[in-house]
Amino acid sequence: MTGILPIKKYGTQSALTDFTEFTMLEPGPLAPYVGFTEDEVKKLCTGHHMDYEEMRRWYDGYYFDEIGHVYNPNSVIKAVFCGKYSNYWTQTETYESLRIYIDLNFDGLKECLVDMLGGKRCRVDIGSFQNDMTSMKSRDDVLTLLVHLGYLTYDSVDGTVSIPNKEVSREYVNAISTMNWHGVAESVESSRKLLEALWDMDADAVATGIEKAHEEI
């Protein structure tokens, strides 16, 4: 059986027995087949004269103890085929429905996502998740669902989640821009402008941006 979510839980049990589940949280021996491994991506980059470090920034970010880093295979192949690093993540109806839960801001979910956009990690309890998209009761439920859908990556050692790579990060920015998170969207845009000012060595613009951030925080 294949699918995005694990078998549905009823109470503390699953609806089916005698199944071994392999998920994005615990892929087990199937970990090498979730996506492209690091060695596979390096060979593709060498064979097609592409910058591996740039490929890593765009499509790496998933990590399993069994094999190490894992890359989004669909995006890597499209980048190789098109000869361009870009956002090839397919927006799905699944993520459209997730916006409803994200906008509810369970237990400070908004602040958690903002921290992750800034490169931080957030602690999560994966035990309460009921393996469906209709039983969201807490921030942990939403974050665990995002892991299963590939929008977050899970570190089993310290029990935290983070945004895996540049491609997925852009999806969050796109989602926030169409939600009622105007303050967050404005902060993201201000950060982009500040970064551009740094690249342009525009001292006045950098000073203005830092002062604004300081006053807001």
Side-chain angles (χ1 to χ4, degrees):
M1 295 176 64
T2 61
I4 295 175
L5 297 180
I7 296 172
K8 167 67 180 170
K9 291 181 182 178
Y10 289 95
T12 59
Q13 304 297 323
S14 295
L16 298 174
T17 59
D18 300 323
F19 275 86
T20 300
E21 295 185 88
F22 303 103
T23 69
M24 289 295 285
L25 296 172
E26 297 180 359
L30 297 185
Y33 311 107
V34 172
F36 288 157
T37 63
E38 199 166 29
D39 288 340
E40 290 170 335
V41 174
K42 286 181 178 178
K43 289 178 181 178
L44 280 170
C45 288
T46 299
H48 294 272
H49 309 290
M50 299 193 73
D51 184 350
Y52 167 72
E53 287 301 319
E54 191 66 15
M55 188 76 78
R56 180 184 62 79
R57 281 190 290 270
W58 272 95
Y59 310 119
D60 185 18
Y62 305 98
Y63 184 89
F64 301 130
D65 294 335
E66 297 85 347
I67 60 167
H69 293 270
V70 175
Y71 291 64
N72 181 337
N74 180 63
S75 298
V76 169
I77 286 298
K78 287 184 177 178
V80 169
F81 181 76
C82 298
K84 178 183 178 182
Y85 304 103
S86 186
N87 184 359
Y88 299 108
W89 191 275
T90 303
Q91 292 186 351
T92 64
E93 184 178 355
T94 302
Y95 191 60
E96 291 295 325
S97 61
L98 278 179
R99 295 184 184 189
I100 299 173
Y101 301 116
I102 293 175
D103 209 19
L104 289 174
N105 195 24
F106 283 128
D107 309 322
L109 176 62
K110 180 187 293 186
E111 287 75 14
C112 179
L113 289 177
V114 170
D115 284 345
M116 288 191 288
L117 280 171
K120 294 183 179 180
R121 307 186 67 89
C122 289
R123 190 166 298 279
V124 61
D125 178 8
I126 63 175
S128 63
F129 183 56
Q130 295 299 306
N131 299 350
D132 64 33
M133 298 183 64
T134 60
S135 303
M136 301 291 123
K137 297 179 180 179
S138 68
R139 182 187 76 171
D140 290 333
D141 288 343
V142 176
L143 294 177
T144 304
L145 177 58
L146 288 170
V147 172
H148 285 295
L149 297 176
Y151 288 96
L152 291 176
T153 181
Y154 177 68
D155 188 329
S156 60
V157 176
D158 59 11
T160 60
V161 292
S162 61
I163 297 175
N165 52 50
K166 184 175 180 179
E167 181 183 43
V168 178
S169 179
R170 287 196 171 187
E171 281 299 296
Y172 279 98
V173 173
N174 292 339
I176 289 172
S177 67
T178 61
M179 296 167 64
N180 295 323
W181 290 20
H182 303 300
V184 177
E186 290 172 2
S187 295
V188 170
E189 179 62 17
S190 296
S191 296
R192 184 188 64 79
K193 290 180 178 178
L194 177 58
L195 184 58
E196 290 179 349
L198 282 168
W199 288 335
D200 294 337
M201 299 173 62
D202 186 340
D204 291 338
V206 171
T208 300
I210 292 177
E211 183 178 0
K212 179 182 177 182
H214 178 72
E215 290 175 351
E216 290 177 352
I217 294 173

